[in-house]
Amino acid sequence: MNNNIKIIEEINKLKKEKDAIILAHNYQIDEVQDIADYVGDSLGLSIKASEVTNKVIVFCGVKFMAETAKILNPLKTVLIPDKTAGCPMADMINAKDVIELKKQHPGAIVVCYVNSSAEVKANVDICCTSANAVAVVNSIPKDREIIFIPDKYLGSYVESQTARKMMLWHGYCPTHAFIDAKSVIQMKKDHPEAEILVHPECNSEVIKTADKVLSTGGMLKYAHESPCKEFIIGTEIGIIYRLQKQNPGKIFYPAKNNIICPNMKLINLEKIMWSLEDNVYEINLPGNIIKKARLSLERMKEFV
Ligand code: 13P
Ligand code: SF4
């Protein structure tokens, strides 16, 4: 029997025994997406995690996503199959930085991209994802100063859509920063009929080339509904598998070769099996952090 089939059988057996559910992000490798009970973007995963009734959540994504699941559903055991799966952008700001920013700008509202640590989320007013950042910022009274952390590119995209000037932190995603406008323009020359969809973590020059700027969940929805048959995709390549699977008659071109988030690729079937077997690696957070971070995440969930 093929080794993957054996592992999948074992995963399904362990899932039943442990009353576990597998949640996966759109950037996960193909076979992880295939065995997951739910695949989605950060907002969809947050909502799904908060509704889980199983005892155990195996989170196939990066650490901030698994932490978010724990914060939103703290009585569940949340496991991440590879404990080193982090997000470099989330590591570009810490709680001390946020406290300092708030001291410098008393009265400002702190809007925090969900790609951040639990400690950071515990010190902000409201979280957002790429799917609802514009709506979250639009909800803030016009006379309030806004600090947006940690993604400077998402922040400047939100500024352009809301006509609000914000204080931006200098974080960014190295995977999306690798995408350059020249490559996208070349792809468009090669495929003139294709629509360009890019993630708002891309830089402003890339965003200028786009027909649509969307979260990964937004890209899936848009590509399915659009009459267009070809798309250039400006985000991590893991999503191409799902786009292709849901739209067999359409063609999806990565905006550039090798747009890969190495952290998202750390999880595989074997690690999921071990995770379920040994209950590793459990996400544990201090109660006071969960309590405070939950407020900012619950506010985020109101903007679906
Ligand atoms: P989405 O919420 O759009 O899936 O994005 C998550 C992410 O980490 C993008 O790099
Ligand atoms: Fe973080 Fe970028 Fe990877 Fe998303 S793609 S998890 S922002 S490093």
Side-chain angles (χ1 to χ4, degrees):
M1 206 186 323
N2 170 315
N3 198 32
N4 266 3
I5 297 177
K6 270 202 226 149
I7 296 176
I8 293 166
E9 274 178 12
E10 188 60 20
I11 289 173
N12 287 331
K13 191 177 115 225
L14 288 163
K15 255 174 64 182
K16 267 200 207 119
E17 275 170 31
K18 308 241 165 163
D19 186 22
I21 186 170
I22 300 178
L23 308 185
H25 186 264
N26 289 322
Y27 296 158
Q28 289 292 294
I29 60 170
D30 309 356
E31 50 265 44
V32 169
Q33 294 193 26
D34 283 342
I35 56 121
D37 297 290
Y38 176 87
V39 186
D41 67 3
S42 308
L43 187 60
L45 284 163
S46 303
I47 293 161
K48 183 72 191 173
S50 68
E51 293 166 349
V52 164
T53 52
N54 305 68
K55 284 194 190 125
V56 177
I57 299 173
V58 180
F59 205 104
C60 303
V62 291
K63 193 167 154 221
F64 77 79
M65 296 178 173
E67 284 184 347
T68 300
K70 180 71 184 175
I71 294 163
L72 288 170
N73 209 338
L75 299 180
K76 306 299 174 191
T77 299
V78 179
L79 305 175
I80 184 160
D82 188 311
K83 65 176 175 204
T84 66
C87 167
M89 185 205 296
D91 294 338
M92 289 177 189
I93 191 163
N94 60 37
K96 238 172 94 198
D97 297 324
V98 181
I99 293 163
E100 190 51 41
L101 274 173
K102 291 206 291 194
K103 242 192 239 157
Q104 285 166 10
H105 302 276
I109 300 273
V110 185
V111 179
C112 175
Y113 190 28
V114 75
N115 298 35
S116 49
S117 69
E119 290 77 12
V120 164
K121 290 184 179 83
N123 284 284
V124 304
D125 296 293
I126 185 164
C127 289
C128 68
T129 75
S130 59
N132 64 6
V134 169
V136 166
V137 167
N138 269 332
S139 76
I140 298 169
K142 294 264 183 300
D143 59 340
R144 297 297 294 273
E145 210 181 349
I146 303 174
I147 299 171
F148 190 94
I149 59 169
D151 187 357
K152 61 178 175 180
Y153 293 129
L154 175 63
S156 67
Y157 172 69
V158 171
E159 283 186 327
S160 75
Q161 298 302 296
T162 58
R164 296 291 294 266
K165 187 86 197 99
M166 306 190 289
M167 256 156 300
L168 307 180
W169 190 251
H170 43 76
Y172 65 93
C173 163
T175 300
H176 286 84
F178 171 69
I179 306 171
D180 61 299
K182 222 173 123 201
S183 302
V184 184
I185 292 162
Q186 185 56 51
M187 281 304 280
K188 178 74 180 175
K189 274 193 193 136
D190 296 344
H191 307 285
E193 301 301 320
E195 276 191 297
I196 303 174
L197 313 185
V198 313
H199 197 275
E201 285 178 17
C202 293
N203 72 45
S204 336
E205 293 307 307
V206 171
I207 285 181
K208 272 189 218 149
T209 69
D211 293 299
K212 293 281 168 201
V213 181
L214 298 161
S215 70
T216 60
M219 285 183 192
L220 284 154
K221 187 170 186 294
Y222 183 82
H224 194 65
E225 289 167 359
S226 166
C228 195
K229 293 273 181 269
E230 290 176 65
F231 300 87
I232 294 163
I233 303 298
T235 194
E236 213 274 349
I237 52 159
I239 198 179
I240 304 256
Y241 175 66
R242 194 147 177 238
L243 283 163
Q244 204 64 76
K245 199 169 155 183
Q246 291 183 355
N247 305 281
K250 299 186 178 184
I251 307 173
F252 300 92
Y253 308 103
K256 185 177 179 178
N257 284 335
N258 299 322
I259 313 169
I260 294 169
C261 171
N263 289 285
M264 283 283 183
K265 305 304 183 212
L266 286 171
I267 293 171
N268 57 33
L269 293 180
E270 255 179 351
K271 289 184 192 174
I272 295 172
M273 182 179 70
W274 295 332
S275 173
L276 279 161
E277 251 168 25
D278 300 338
N279 292 323
V280 291
Y281 295 92
E282 188 171 351
I283 302 287
N284 282 309
L285 294 166
N288 64 325
I289 297 286
I290 292 188
K291 208 167 145 202
K292 284 165 74 188
R294 191 165 181 177
L295 291 174
S296 50
L297 282 168
E298 290 292 350
R299 287 184 193 124
M300 168 187 96
K301 276 176 56 212
E302 285 163 29
F303 295 86
V304 178

